[in-house]
Amino acid sequence: MQLSRDDLKRAYTAMFTIRAFEERVEKEFADGTIPGFAHVYLGQEASGVGVCFDLTDDDWIGSTHRGHGHCIAKGCEIEGMFLEIMGREGGICGGKGGSMHIADMDKGMLGANAIVGGSPPLAVGAALTQKLRGTDRVAVAFSGDGASNQGTTLEAMNMAVILKVPMIFVFENNGYGEFTASDYSVGAASLADRAAAFGMPAQTVDGADFFAVHAAMRDALEHARSGRGPYTLETRCSRFLGHFVGDPQKYRGPEELAEARANDPISRFRDRVGEAALLDMAELDEIESAVRARVDAAAAAAREAPMPSLATLETDVYVKY
Amino acid sequence: MARISYRKAINQALEQEMARDPNVILMGIDVGGGSGGSGDVGSVGGVMGVTKGLYPRFGPDRVIDTPISESAIIGAAAGAAVTGMRPVAELMFVDFLGVCLDQIYNQAAKFRYMFGGKARTPLVIRTMGGAGMRAGAQHSQMLHPILTMIPGLKVVMPSSPYDAKGLLIRAIRDDDPVVFLESKALYDMKGEVPEEAYEIPFGEANWLREGPDATIVAFGAMVPRAMQAADALAKDGVRVTVLDPRTTSPLDEDAILESVEDTGRLIVVDESPPRCSLAADVAALAASRAFGALKAPVGMVTCPHTPVPFAPNLEDAYMPSVERIVAAVQATL
Ligand SMILES: Cc1ncc(C[n+]2csc(CCOP(=O)(O)OP(=O)(O)O)c2C)c(N)n1
Ligand SMILES: [Mg+2]
């Protein structure tokens, strides 16, 4: 399926926004303006964007602790995201959530999640809502290779199959959960094999290739929307940095680290559209400068923004109490 | 005596007990770290570096890196414990209790009673909790009240390097399941710790300071704050007793009651929302067993009834502060 020039620009804008946003997060973290931890999505941009490309605000995604890329791919505003991860007033969650809890119900973003394996059962529920209401919308649960071993994830896979809900399990396999390699922690040959054992179709794709992820997601969406139940995608990605910003990564050898950086989804996208003469490099460069300017402005504004009012400490625990 | 950190004190206790007893094993996510990777295996030693050096010394059979599967980690440790091992399982953040609670409270904690006294479950669950690290609502809770109310489980809240080492050694040698709840805010705290192994008994409070005017009872990371409050009060001529129960289950009720009988004033500092907290528990103890001695209402210095907020200013306001402890003591005078 051929993408239009506008589609390609939209994909590149989203991918590059994630890249620039996360590079800025790395820098802000070093400057001490981001409290707590930061898990960045550098190297995995094509996976999130490929998966979310054909989703609308009425489709749901559940995300992970490494959620900034998913938020951007699903359309969350980066201005509110910077405010949130710096803990400022006006953040998407009022500064109460932080990097690992960005959620935007208007954009179908059910939340980043600091509990590994937290999202898959929630996404089953979001998909159940679609099934019961007869919409043609779907729910997606993003998980890592590490999260694939969590009981909640495995329970959700089985339940999604037997309830035949319109849902897609996306396993972003970046080779590691924290400091432990998936070669060690996952006992099956592939995550797609596991999905097959649960009774759902699955594909494993190159997660650094936007086009491959997007094409596989189209298959998954067609399956889910036609009432045939859930689908699994395993996107093989590389994690450019450590588990969190500042992780010294002694558990990865130098060759592996170099390979991870070489498999860059941004340059692969550029090469691909360049070779096929789909877009001019100048057009992509223009996108990059516009994105960088927006990211810089958003981060600078967030740095100057006030802290949330202390009066908000005890609000929003309940709707009514 | 060497001055070492709380982190190092825990590490030393683990190393000495593993060297002493081959049945002591560690299991948890990244307790060695790097398994299956292309670099140094076992070089990480936990996300906070608490188990550093143990994998190189004891190897993969005794320092077991696990998948991210908390129910299986805790359940397997309980199963190994009841069949003869002495596992120390790590639940990285106590917030992940939600993922594995069944294996703790329906399984490990109940074996002995349900099986008519025929089982022993020498399981230790090392875990960390507490706010102040800007880690957000799912990585900042303490949750000791949930654990303390479970019959069959013992709960330890070490507040200093010395206590951490002695209480952990006691926990490993104990024949019942123990949750050893470390305060992540204290990992870098330094204090004098003997090199040799020693035990601190459970259920015996530490009298950190004695004064006639009021009794402050504090747990875990609230203990150093209570001591700071005691210093501030001393400047105004108010001399307080500070009691650290060290374990919330068993709880040294006698020490608390004895002190309240002496001072007539009780302030409990607890890093928890107020409902069903240790503050409420200790206040109820005083109300039911030392009512006649009380000269003022019991002061409860707790967190609000909210999740832990992320924004630093909100999180600071969430925590019981030294100022709030001082004010609570003054209110009883
Ligand atoms: C229930 C639970 N267990 C452990 C953790 C600690 N933790 C946070 S992220 C992570 C690794 C997750 O690995 P993976 O699912 O592969 O995601 P990635 O970080 O590679 O994106 C771990 C162990 C957690 N947050 N929640
Ligand atoms: Mg991973």
Side-chain angles (χ1 to χ4, degrees):
Chain A
M1 156 95 207
Q2 189 67 40
L3 288 162
S4 71
R5 285 171 48 82
D6 283 349
D7 284 339
L8 292 169
K9 285 189 187 171
R10 179 161 72 87
Y12 195 68
T13 303
M15 281 173 55
F16 198 77
T17 303
I18 297 172
R19 173 64 52 97
F21 184 91
E22 296 292 53
E23 285 177 353
R24 184 72 188 215
V25 165
E26 221 187 318
K27 181 170 166 303
E28 294 291 339
F29 193 82
D31 284 359
T33 52
I34 296 179
F37 331 110
H39 307 91
V40 297
Y41 197 65
L42 292 172
Q44 304 186 196
E45 295 87 347
S47 175
V49 174
V51 167
C52 294
F53 199 72
D54 291 328
L55 301 181
T56 70
D57 288 352
D58 297 326
D59 296 294
W60 291 95
I61 67 167
S63 170
T64 71
H65 57 286
R66 200 177 299 289
H68 306 163
H70 302 148
C71 291
I72 293 170
K74 196 67 176 51
C76 297
E77 302 291 346
I78 60 168
E79 289 75 13
M81 289 176 62
F82 268 124
L83 288 165
E84 188 60 36
I85 66 183
M86 291 187 191
R88 305 305 171 102
E89 193 174 282
I92 293 191
C93 307
K96 285 174 166 179
S99 164
M100 293 196 287
H101 303 291
I102 298 177
D104 191 342
M105 302 302 279
D106 296 333
K107 299 282 184 187
M109 170 58 191
L110 206 45
N113 208 309
I115 299 299
V116 169
S119 281
L122 302 175
V124 174
L128 183 63
T129 301
Q130 309 317 314
K131 180 182 145 178
L132 297 180
R133 291 200 172 157
T135 75
D136 63 351
R137 299 292 114 200
V138 304
V140 173
F142 283 101
S143 307
D145 46 287
S148 77
N149 296 317
Q150 188 64 285
T152 47
T153 305
L154 302 167
E155 291 176 22
M157 290 173 84
N158 182 56
M159 197 149 124
V161 168
I162 66 118
L163 296 179
K164 277 200 169 182
V165 291
M167 165 161 183
I168 295 124
F169 292 88
V170 177
F171 291 101
E172 299 186 305
N173 186 348
N174 60 9
Y176 287 88
E178 269 184 16
F179 324 124
T180 297
S182 55
D183 282 351
Y184 170 87
S185 71
V186 180
S190 83
L191 297 175
D193 284 359
R194 264 197 195 163
F198 277 107
M200 74 181 108
Q203 283 186 51
T204 299
V205 293
D206 178 351
D209 178 354
F210 164 79
F211 297 94
V213 176
H214 179 245
M217 186 65 186
R218 287 233 159 135
D219 295 341
L221 279 174
E222 194 201 71
H223 180 88
R225 288 196 172 131
S226 64
R228 285 178 286 163
Y231 199 98
T232 288
L233 290 187
E234 176 183 8
T235 62
R236 298 254 169 139
C237 300
S238 30
R239 195 185 71 187
F240 281 5
L241 296 193
H243 175 57
F244 46 79
V245 177
D247 172 4
Q249 299 201 82
K250 284 198 201 139
Y251 51 89
R252 288 172 97 183
E255 278 168 34
E256 188 199 313
L257 281 169
E259 263 170 41
R261 282 273 182 186
N263 188 21
D264 182 342
I266 301 282
S267 42
R268 286 185 56 189
F269 186 97
R270 289 183 72 102
D271 292 350
R272 171 81 177 265
V273 298
E275 275 158 27
L278 300 170
L279 292 177
D280 286 348
M281 288 302 110
E283 289 175 292
L284 296 178
D285 293 344
E286 249 171 59
I287 289 176
E288 292 195 4
S289 20
V291 164
R292 287 258 187 230
R294 182 178 171 204
V295 165
D296 288 347
R303 286 173 72 125
E304 300 307 317
M307 295 282 181
S309 149
L310 285 180
T312 62
L313 174 61
E314 297 190 44
T315 59
D316 290 327
V317 181
Y318 302 93
V319 175
K320 188 170 183 296
Y321 194 56
Chain B
M1 225 185 285
R3 275 180 73 75
I4 61 172
S5 66
Y6 183 90
R7 170 189 286 109
K8 182 70 194 160
I10 295 165
N11 181 281
Q12 225 177 57
L14 293 170
E15 180 163 23
Q16 290 176 352
E17 287 304 285
M18 291 182 79
R20 186 186 60 78
D21 181 351
N23 290 314
V24 178
I25 57 169
L26 306 188
M27 52 198 295
I29 301 163
D30 289 314
V31 288
S35 288
S38 56
D40 290 349
V41 181
S43 62
V44 179
V47 281
M48 296 291 179
V50 175
T51 53
K52 215 175 177 66
L54 300 177
Y55 183 102
R57 172 154 184 203
F58 298 104
D61 283 347
R62 293 189 64 201
V63 180
I64 304 171
D65 276 339
T66 63
I68 307 169
S69 310
E70 280 81 5
S71 287
I73 297 167
I74 301 301
V82 77
T83 53
M85 305 300 289
R86 280 191 183 269
V88 180
E90 182 177 301
L91 181 62
M92 188 186 296
F93 286 76
V94 74
D95 309 71
F96 311 159
L97 187 62
V99 185
C100 59
L101 188 56
D102 182 71
Q103 296 294 322
I104 298 174
Y105 97 109
N106 270 323
Q107 312 300 338
K110 290 190 172 66
F111 288 158
R112 185 159 183 88
Y113 189 83
M114 285 190 309
F115 299 171
K118 293 200 183 99
R120 265 168 215 271
T121 311
L123 164 68
V124 177
I125 300 170
R126 272 191 52 241
T127 183
M128 67 175 161
M133 316 292 284
R134 320 316 188 194
Q138 295 173 342
H139 277 63
S140 302
Q141 302 163 91
M142 208 54 200
L143 303 182
H144 53 291
I146 293 178
L147 294 159
T148 302
M149 63 80 66
I150 299 173
L153 200 63
K154 295 176 180 171
V155 183
V156 184
M157 291 179 69
S159 69
S160 70
Y162 177 85
D163 280 12
K165 180 168 175 182
L167 289 166
L168 182 54
I169 291 177
R170 174 66 236 147
I172 292 171
R173 295 178 186 176
D174 204 276
D175 283 334
D176 289 309
V178 178
V179 174
F180 189 82
L181 181 47
E182 298 159 17
S183 287
K184 52 182 170 301
L186 300 183
Y187 280 126
D188 292 324
M189 175 189 195
K190 290 216 164 152
E192 294 202 337
V193 176
E195 170 59 35
E196 69 278 5
Y198 59 94
E199 293 183 32
I200 297 175
F202 289 172
E204 286 186 22
N206 190 11
W207 296 75
L208 283 156
R209 175 174 305 203
E210 290 191 57
D213 297 330
T215 301
I216 304 180
V217 175
F219 300 90
M222 296 300 101
V223 174
R225 290 189 185 214
M227 291 298 282
Q228 276 174 269
D231 286 340
L233 287 159
K235 289 196 189 115
D236 293 336
V238 177
R239 289 175 303 144
V240 297
T241 293
V242 179
L243 272 184
D244 170 7
R246 285 179 164 147
T247 55
T248 61
S249 179
L251 181 70
D252 190 348
E253 299 184 345
D254 291 346
I256 296 168
L257 292 169
E258 185 191 322
S259 182
V260 172
E261 291 288 348
D262 283 350
T263 64
R265 297 182 175 91
L266 174 64
I267 296 86
V268 197
V269 189
D270 192 14
E271 186 182 346
S272 165
R275 300 295 313 283
C276 304
S277 63
L278 261 290
D281 192 58
V282 171
L285 175 73
S288 58
R289 309 247 312 267
F291 187 74
L294 288 173
K295 297 175 195 155
V298 176
M300 289 174 41
V301 186
T302 67
C303 307
H305 185 65
T306 72
V308 184
F310 169 69
N313 65 328
L314 298 183
E315 191 181 30
D316 291 344
Y318 172 92
M319 287 290 265
S321 62
V322 173
E323 297 71 47
R324 277 174 58 206
I325 301 170
V326 168
V329 172
Q330 277 161 348
T332 66
L333 297 174

